[in-house]
PDB file of all heavy atoms in Angstrom:
ATOM      1  N   GLY A  54     162.147 150.705  69.889  1.00  0.00           N
ATOM      2  CA  GLY A  54     163.198 151.625  69.511  1.00  0.00           C
ATOM      3  C   GLY A  54     162.833 152.377  68.245  1.00  0.00           C
ATOM      4  O   GLY A  54     161.676 152.461  67.847  1.00  0.00           O
ATOM      5  N   ALA A  55     163.817 152.908  67.571  1.00  0.00           N
ATOM      6  CA  ALA A  55     163.577 153.822  66.451  1.00  0.00           C
ATOM      7  C   ALA A  55     163.582 153.164  65.074  1.00  0.00           C
ATOM      8  O   ALA A  55     163.182 153.792  64.107  1.00  0.00           O
ATOM      9  CB  ALA A  55     164.620 154.930  66.478  1.00  0.00           C
ATOM     10  N   TRP A  56     164.021 151.931  64.952  1.00  0.00           N
ATOM     11  CA  TRP A  56     164.237 151.313  63.647  1.00  0.00           C
ATOM     12  C   TRP A  56     163.053 151.451  62.689  1.00  0.00           C
ATOM     13  O   TRP A  56     163.206 151.888  61.558  1.00  0.00           O
ATOM     14  CB  TRP A  56     164.611 149.841  63.804  1.00  0.00           C
ATOM     15  CG  TRP A  56     164.595 149.067  62.530  1.00  0.00           C
ATOM     16  CD1 TRP A  56     163.741 148.057  62.207  1.00  0.00           C
ATOM     17  CD2 TRP A  56     165.448 149.225  61.382  1.00  0.00           C
ATOM     18  NE1 TRP A  56     164.022 147.568  60.948  1.00  0.00           N
ATOM     19  CE2 TRP A  56     165.067 148.278  60.424  1.00  0.00           C
ATOM     20  CE3 TRP A  56     166.502 150.082  61.084  1.00  0.00           C
ATOM     21  CZ2 TRP A  56     165.697 148.155  59.186  1.00  0.00           C
ATOM     22  CZ3 TRP A  56     167.128 149.955  59.847  1.00  0.00           C
ATOM     23  CH2 TRP A  56     166.731 149.010  58.923  1.00  0.00           C
ATOM     24  N   LEU A  57     161.877 151.068  63.109  1.00  0.00           N
ATOM     25  CA  LEU A  57     160.736 151.063  62.203  1.00  0.00           C
ATOM     26  C   LEU A  57     160.365 152.467  61.734  1.00  0.00           C
ATOM     27  O   LEU A  57     159.865 152.648  60.627  1.00  0.00           O
ATOM     28  CB  LEU A  57     159.535 150.378  62.864  1.00  0.00           C
ATOM     29  CG  LEU A  57     159.733 148.888  63.147  1.00  0.00           C
ATOM     30  CD1 LEU A  57     158.526 148.319  63.885  1.00  0.00           C
ATOM     31  CD2 LEU A  57     159.992 148.111  61.871  1.00  0.00           C
ATOM     32  N   THR A  58     160.634 153.467  62.570  1.00  0.00           N
ATOM     33  CA  THR A  58     160.335 154.853  62.207  1.00  0.00           C
ATOM     34  C   THR A  58     161.438 155.459  61.347  1.00  0.00           C
ATOM     35  O   THR A  58     161.179 156.141  60.367  1.00  0.00           O
ATOM     36  CB  THR A  58     160.148 155.706  63.479  1.00  0.00           C
ATOM     37  OG1 THR A  58     159.077 155.151  64.244  1.00  0.00           O
ATOM     38  CG2 THR A  58     159.856 157.143  63.141  1.00  0.00           C
ATOM     39  N   ILE A  59     162.665 155.200  61.704  1.00  0.00           N
ATOM     40  CA  ILE A  59     163.812 155.870  61.083  1.00  0.00           C
ATOM     41  C   ILE A  59     164.201 155.271  59.734  1.00  0.00           C
ATOM     42  O   ILE A  59     164.765 155.956  58.881  1.00  0.00           O
ATOM     43  CB  ILE A  59     165.006 155.850  62.062  1.00  0.00           C
ATOM     44  CG1 ILE A  59     165.990 156.963  61.744  1.00  0.00           C
ATOM     45  CG2 ILE A  59     165.753 154.551  62.033  1.00  0.00           C
ATOM     46  CD1 ILE A  59     165.754 158.187  62.529  1.00  0.00           C
ATOM     47  N   GLN A  60     163.892 154.000  59.532  1.00  0.00           N
ATOM     48  CA  GLN A  60     164.317 153.296  58.318  1.00  0.00           C
ATOM     49  C   GLN A  60     163.961 154.034  57.021  1.00  0.00           C
ATOM     50  O   GLN A  60     164.844 154.283  56.198  1.00  0.00           O
ATOM     51  CB  GLN A  60     163.737 151.892  58.329  1.00  0.00           C
ATOM     52  CG  GLN A  60     164.101 151.059  57.135  1.00  0.00           C
ATOM     53  CD  GLN A  60     163.400 149.713  57.154  1.00  0.00           C
ATOM     54  OE1 GLN A  60     162.420 149.508  57.861  1.00  0.00           O
ATOM     55  NE2 GLN A  60     163.916 148.794  56.375  1.00  0.00           N
ATOM     56  N   PRO A  61     162.711 154.424  56.787  1.00  0.00           N
ATOM     57  CA  PRO A  61     162.408 155.079  55.508  1.00  0.00           C
ATOM     58  C   PRO A  61     163.093 156.435  55.350  1.00  0.00           C
ATOM     59  O   PRO A  61     163.456 156.823  54.235  1.00  0.00           O
ATOM     60  CB  PRO A  61     160.882 155.221  55.500  1.00  0.00           C
ATOM     61  CG  PRO A  61     160.423 154.921  56.870  1.00  0.00           C
ATOM     62  CD  PRO A  61     161.512 154.187  57.581  1.00  0.00           C
ATOM     63  N   TRP A  62     163.287 157.142  56.433  1.00  0.00           N
ATOM     64  CA  TRP A  62     163.946 158.449  56.347  1.00  0.00           C
ATOM     65  C   TRP A  62     165.396 158.294  55.906  1.00  0.00           C
ATOM     66  O   TRP A  62     165.889 159.057  55.084  1.00  0.00           O
ATOM     67  CB  TRP A  62     163.883 159.177  57.675  1.00  0.00           C
ATOM     68  CG  TRP A  62     162.512 159.645  58.063  1.00  0.00           C
ATOM     69  CD1 TRP A  62     161.424 159.783  57.244  1.00  0.00           C
ATOM     70  CD2 TRP A  62     162.074 160.038  59.350  1.00  0.00           C
ATOM     71  NE1 TRP A  62     160.342 160.242  57.960  1.00  0.00           N
ATOM     72  CE2 TRP A  62     160.717 160.417  59.261  1.00  0.00           C
ATOM     73  CE3 TRP A  62     162.692 160.121  60.590  1.00  0.00           C
ATOM     74  CZ2 TRP A  62     159.976 160.858  60.343  1.00  0.00           C
ATOM     75  CZ3 TRP A  62     161.953 160.561  61.670  1.00  0.00           C
ATOM     76  CH2 TRP A  62     160.616 160.930  61.549  1.00  0.00           C
TER      77      TRP A  62
END
Side-chain angles (χ1 to χ4, degrees):
W56 169 246
L57 295 176
T58 301
I59 203 94
Q60 180 185 17
W62 290 343

